[in-house]
Coordinates of all heavy atoms in Angstrom, one line a residue:
V197 N -4.0 233.3 -36.5 CA -5.3 232.7 -36.6 C -5.5 232.1 -38.0 O -5.2 232.8 -39.0 CB -6.4 233.7 -36.2 CG1 -7.8 233.1 -36.4 CG2 -6.3 234.3 -34.8
I198 N -6.0 230.9 -38.1 CA -6.3 230.3 -39.4 C -7.6 231.0 -40.0 O -8.6 230.9 -39.4 CB -6.5 228.8 -39.3 CG1 -5.4 228.1 -38.6 CG2 -6.7 228.2 -40.7 CD1 -4.0 228.1 -39.3
I199 N -7.4 231.5 -41.2 CA -8.6 232.2 -41.8 C -9.0 231.5 -43.1 O -10.0 231.8 -43.8 CB -8.3 233.7 -42.1 CG1 -7.1 233.9 -42.9 CG2 -8.2 234.4 -40.8 CD1 -6.9 235.3 -43.5
G200 N -8.1 230.5 -43.6 CA -8.5 229.8 -44.8 C -7.8 228.5 -44.9 O -6.7 228.3 -44.2
H201 N -8.3 227.6 -45.7 CA -7.7 226.3 -45.8 C -8.1 225.7 -47.2 O -9.1 225.9 -47.7 CB -8.3 225.3 -44.7 CG -7.9 223.9 -44.9 ND1 -8.8 222.9 -45.3 CD2 -6.7 223.3 -44.7 CE1 -8.2 221.8 -45.4 NE2 -6.9 221.9 -45.0
I202 N -7.1 224.9 -47.7 CA -7.4 224.2 -49.0 C -6.8 222.8 -48.8 O -5.7 222.6 -48.2 CB -6.8 225.0 -50.2 CG1 -7.3 224.3 -51.5 CG2 -5.3 225.0 -50.1 CD1 -7.0 225.2 -52.7
L203 N -7.4 221.9 -49.4 CA -6.9 220.5 -49.5 C -7.0 219.9 -50.9 O -8.0 219.9 -51.5 CB -7.8 219.6 -48.5 CG -7.4 218.1 -48.5 CD1 -5.9 218.0 -48.0 CD2 -8.3 217.3 -47.6
L204 N -5.8 219.5 -51.3 CA -5.7 218.7 -52.6 C -5.4 217.3 -52.1 O -4.5 217.1 -51.2 CB -4.6 219.2 -53.5 CG -4.7 220.6 -54.1 CD1 -3.6 220.7 -55.1 CD2 -6.0 220.8 -54.8
S205 N -6.1 216.3 -52.6 CA -5.7 214.9 -52.2 C -5.7 214.0 -53.4 O -6.3 214.4 -54.4 CB -6.6 214.4 -51.1 OG -8.0 214.5 -51.5
K206 N -5.2 212.8 -53.2 CA -5.0 211.9 -54.4 C -6.4 211.3 -54.7 O -7.2 211.0 -53.9 CB -4.0 210.8 -54.1 CG -2.6 211.4 -53.9 CD -1.6 210.3 -53.8 CE -1.3 210.0 -52.3 NZ -0.2 209.0 -52.1
A207 N -6.5 211.0 -56.0 CA -7.7 210.3 -56.5 C -7.2 209.5 -57.7 O -6.1 209.7 -58.1 CB -8.8 211.2 -56.8
D208 N -8.1 208.7 -58.3 CA -7.7 207.9 -59.4 C -8.6 208.2 -60.6 O -9.8 208.5 -60.5 CB -7.9 206.4 -59.1 CG -7.0 205.9 -58.0 OD1 -5.8 206.1 -58.1 OD2 -7.5 205.4 -57.0
V209 N -7.9 208.2 -61.8 CA -8.7 208.2 -63.0 C -8.5 206.8 -63.6 O -7.3 206.4 -63.8 CB -8.2 209.3 -64.0 CG1 -8.8 209.1 -65.4 CG2 -8.7 210.7 -63.5
V210 N -9.6 206.2 -64.0 CA -9.5 204.8 -64.4 C -10.0 204.7 -65.9 O -11.1 205.2 -66.2 CB -10.3 203.9 -63.5 CG1 -10.3 202.4 -64.0 CG2 -9.8 203.9 -62.1
D211 N -9.2 204.1 -66.7 CA -9.6 203.9 -68.1 C -9.3 202.5 -68.5 O -8.2 202.1 -68.9 CB -8.8 204.9 -69.0 CG -9.2 204.8 -70.5 OD1 -10.3 204.3 -70.8 OD2 -8.4 205.3 -71.3
G212 N -10.3 201.6 -68.3 CA -10.0 200.1 -68.5 C -8.9 199.7 -67.5 O -9.0 199.8 -66.3
E213 N -7.8 199.2 -68.1 CA -6.7 198.7 -67.3 C -5.8 199.8 -66.8 O -5.0 199.6 -65.9 CB -5.9 197.7 -68.1 CG -6.6 196.4 -68.6 CD -6.9 195.5 -67.4 OE1 -5.9 195.0 -66.8 OE2 -8.1 195.3 -67.1
Q214 N -6.0 200.9 -67.4 CA -5.1 202.1 -67.0 C -5.6 202.8 -65.8 O -6.8 203.1 -65.7 CB -5.1 203.1 -68.2 CG -4.3 202.7 -69.4 CD -2.8 203.0 -69.3 OE1 -2.4 203.4 -68.2 NE2 -2.1 202.7 -70.3
H215 N -4.6 203.1 -64.9 CA -5.0 203.9 -63.7 C -4.0 205.1 -63.7 O -2.8 204.9 -63.8 CB -4.8 203.1 -62.4 CG -5.9 202.1 -62.2 ND1 -6.7 202.1 -61.1 CD2 -6.3 201.1 -62.9 CE1 -7.5 201.1 -61.1 NE2 -7.4 200.5 -62.3
Y216 N -4.6 206.2 -63.4 CA -3.7 207.4 -63.3 C -3.9 208.0 -61.9 O -5.1 208.2 -61.5 CB -4.1 208.5 -64.3 CG -4.1 208.0 -65.8 CD1 -5.2 207.5 -66.4 CD2 -2.9 208.0 -66.5 CE1 -5.2 207.1 -67.7 CE2 -2.9 207.6 -67.8 CZ -4.0 207.1 -68.4 OH -4.0 206.7 -69.7
E217 N -2.8 208.3 -61.2 CA -3.0 209.0 -59.9 C -3.1 210.5 -60.2 O -2.2 211.1 -60.8 CB -1.8 208.7 -59.1 CG -2.0 209.2 -57.6 CD -0.8 208.7 -56.8 OE1 0.3 209.3 -56.9 OE2 -1.0 207.9 -55.9
V218 N -4.2 211.1 -59.8 CA -4.4 212.5 -60.0 C -4.7 213.2 -58.7 O -4.7 212.6 -57.6 CB -5.6 212.7 -61.0 CG1 -5.4 212.0 -62.3 CG2 -6.9 212.2 -60.3
L219 N -5.0 214.5 -58.7 CA -5.4 215.2 -57.5 C -6.8 215.7 -57.6 O -7.3 216.0 -58.7 CB -4.5 216.4 -57.3 CG -3.0 216.1 -56.9 CD1 -2.2 217.5 -56.9 CD2 -2.9 215.4 -55.6
A220 N -7.5 215.7 -56.5 CA -8.8 216.3 -56.4 C -8.7 217.5 -55.4 O -8.1 217.4 -54.4 CB -9.8 215.3 -55.9
L221 N -9.4 218.6 -55.8 CA -9.4 219.7 -54.9 C -10.7 219.7 -54.2 O -11.8 219.8 -54.8 CB -9.3 221.0 -55.8 CG -9.1 222.4 -55.0 CD1 -8.6 223.4 -56.0 CD2 -10.3 222.8 -54.3
A222 N -10.6 219.6 -52.9 CA -11.8 219.6 -52.0 C -11.5 219.5 -50.6 O -10.7 218.5 -50.2 CB -12.8 218.5 -52.4
P223 N -11.9 220.3 -49.7 CA -12.6 221.6 -50.0 C -11.6 222.8 -50.0 O -10.4 222.6 -49.7 CB -13.6 221.7 -48.9 CG -12.9 221.0 -47.7 CD -11.9 220.0 -48.3
V224 N -12.1 223.9 -50.4 CA -11.4 225.2 -50.1 C -12.3 226.1 -49.4 O -13.5 226.1 -49.7 CB -10.8 225.9 -51.4 CG1 -11.9 226.1 -52.5 CG2 -10.1 227.2 -51.1
A225 N -11.8 226.7 -48.3 CA -12.7 227.5 -47.4 C -12.0 228.7 -46.9 O -10.8 228.6 -46.5 CB -13.2 226.6 -46.3
V226 N -12.7 229.8 -46.9 CA -12.2 231.0 -46.3 C -13.2 231.5 -45.3 O -14.4 231.5 -45.6 CB -11.9 232.1 -47.4 CG1 -11.5 233.4 -46.7 CG2 -10.8 231.6 -48.3
D227 N -12.7 231.8 -44.1 CA -13.6 232.3 -43.1 C -14.5 233.5 -43.6 O -14.0 234.4 -44.3 CB -12.8 232.9 -41.9 CG -13.6 233.5 -40.8 OD1 -14.3 232.7 -40.1 OD2 -13.7 234.7 -40.8
P228 N -15.8 233.4 -43.3 CA -16.7 234.4 -43.9 C -16.3 235.9 -43.7 O -16.5 236.7 -44.6 CB -18.0 234.1 -43.2 CG -18.0 232.7 -42.9 CD -16.5 232.4 -42.6
N229 N -15.6 236.2 -42.6 CA -15.2 237.6 -42.4 C -14.0 237.9 -43.2 O -13.6 239.1 -43.2 CB -14.8 237.7 -40.9 CG -16.0 237.6 -40.0 OD1 -17.1 238.0 -40.4 ND2 -15.9 236.9 -38.9

Side-chain angles (χ1 to χ4, degrees):
V197 176
I198 306 293
I199 57 168
H201 171 253
I202 189 168
L203 180 60
L204 299 186
S205 56
K206 292 186 268 186
D208 297 302
V209 167
V210 177
D211 183 17
E213 297 291 297
Q214 286 277 5
H215 284 239
Y216 304 96
E217 191 175 70
V218 301
L219 291 174
L221 189 165
V224 54
V226 173
D227 175 76
N229 295 322

